[in-house]
Amino acid sequence: KAGVTQTPRYLIKTRGQQVTLSCSPISGHRSVSWYQQTPGQGLQFLFEYFSETQRNKGNFPGRFSGRQFSNSRSEMNVSTLELGDSALYLCASSLETGSETQYFGPGTRLLVL
Amino acid sequence: QKEVEQNSGPLSVPEGAIASLNCTYSDRGSQSFFWYRQYSGKSPELIMSIYSNGDKEDGRFTAQLNKASQYVSLLIRDSQPSDSATYLCAVNTNAGKSTFGDGTTLTVKP
């Protein structure tokens, strides 16, 4: 089975712009979670989608949003980018929501200038 | 207090030694516990999952869980240089939310 894929792998944006990141889960997986990883804050949970519905949300401002499509693919959007949004954004998929093992994608590295 | 805390690193052990990584969590409702390994520049990969009190062994890795003490650990026996990485402890609540610790960086010296 193919693993979790994320596009793009690298992205450079300027402050104030918006960005959309994409994640395709492992075939058959219905849950997709998004994380932000920075050296100072570690791995921070953004949100989880299951069957096109947001199931859980972390403590991030409303500039961070996401959605999931009927084929379980997910997108994450960040509007009005700030310098502090520079990070590695990781997507993880699992079969079901809840206590399932998560499989991570390679991540999208975002640099905001 | 952080929801998931890991022993501060970095941790350095000689090749062949036992590496001990510790993690405590604050939510007593937590049900699932995971250890991930993350090599520099790569994404986390699952090493072990544990759901009930006691020990769980998989090759050179042993996970230990004590829910009463809200403590989970990972032991790596016969440590190898290839084990050098950052180890992340993750805790899932009943609601399905995953919380990760900041990670402990392990270096195994040949």
Side-chain angles (χ1 to χ4, degrees):
Chain A
K1 269 187 184 178
V4 179
T5 58
Q6 291 186 246
T7 57
R9 293 293 311 278
Y10 303 93
L11 208 48
I12 299 176
K13 291 286 188 179
T14 56
R15 278 186 304 174
Q17 287 187 308
Q18 75 164 17
V19 66
T20 299
L21 311 181
S22 181
C23 172
S24 292
I26 292 172
S27 177
H29 284 196
R30 297 199 293 160
S31 172
V32 173
S33 296
W34 288 90
Y35 296 87
Q36 181 195 66
Q37 188 173 37
T38 59
Q41 297 295 320
L43 202 62
Q44 302 286 312
F45 173 76
L46 280 155
F47 27 65
E48 180 203 6
Y49 285 87
F50 178 76
S51 292
E52 302 178 66
T53 302
Q54 188 179 87
R55 291 293 304 266
N56 285 292
K57 190 176 189 305
N59 298 321
F60 278 81
R63 301 186 296 108
F64 292 81
S65 63
R67 58 178 176 168
Q68 187 180 35
F69 302 94
S70 58
N71 62 357
S72 295
R73 190 178 70 84
S74 177
E75 287 182 347
M76 187 194 112
N77 185 76
V78 188
S79 62
T80 319
L81 284 166
E82 300 177 359
L83 295 179
D85 297 333
S86 295
L88 178 67
Y89 290 89
L90 290 161
C91 158
S93 78
S94 58
L95 272 172
E96 302 288 336
T97 188
S99 305
E100 289 290 322
T101 301
Q102 297 181 82
Y103 298 87
F104 284 85
T108 295
R109 190 165 294 280
L110 171 65
L111 177 61
V112 182
L113 301 175
Chain B
Q1 182 192 4
K2 287 190 173 183
E3 292 181 63
V4 178
E5 294 205 51
Q6 296 186 235
N7 50 328
S8 59
L11 177 65
S12 180
V13 300
E15 184 174 355
I18 295 175
S20 177
L21 305 163
N22 304 314
C23 173
T24 57
Y25 59 95
S26 60
D27 186 347
R28 282 196 172 275
S30 301
Q31 295 293 319
S32 308
F33 307 86
F34 306 86
W35 283 100
Y36 289 83
R37 176 177 62 200
Q38 185 173 25
Y39 291 113
S40 180
K42 300 293 186 182
S43 57
E45 57 178 334
L46 181 73
I47 300 174
M48 296 278 286
S49 60
I50 187 165
Y51 302 93
S52 54
N53 282 329
D55 295 359
K56 180 181 178 182
E57 189 174 316
D58 184 1
R60 297 185 295 110
F61 298 94
T62 299
Q64 299 174 317
L65 175 62
N66 184 326
K67 288 186 179 180
S69 300
Q70 294 174 243
Y71 173 91
V72 58
S73 66
L74 179 71
L75 298 177
I76 306 175
R77 291 183 302 281
D78 188 25
S79 295
Q80 302 296 309
S82 59
D83 295 327
S84 298
T86 296
Y87 289 80
L88 300 166
C89 170
V91 176
N92 284 18
T93 64
N94 270 336
K97 182 186 169 188
S98 294
T99 304
F100 282 76
D102 289 342
T104 300
T105 298
L106 170 67
T107 300
V108 180
K109 295 188 174 181

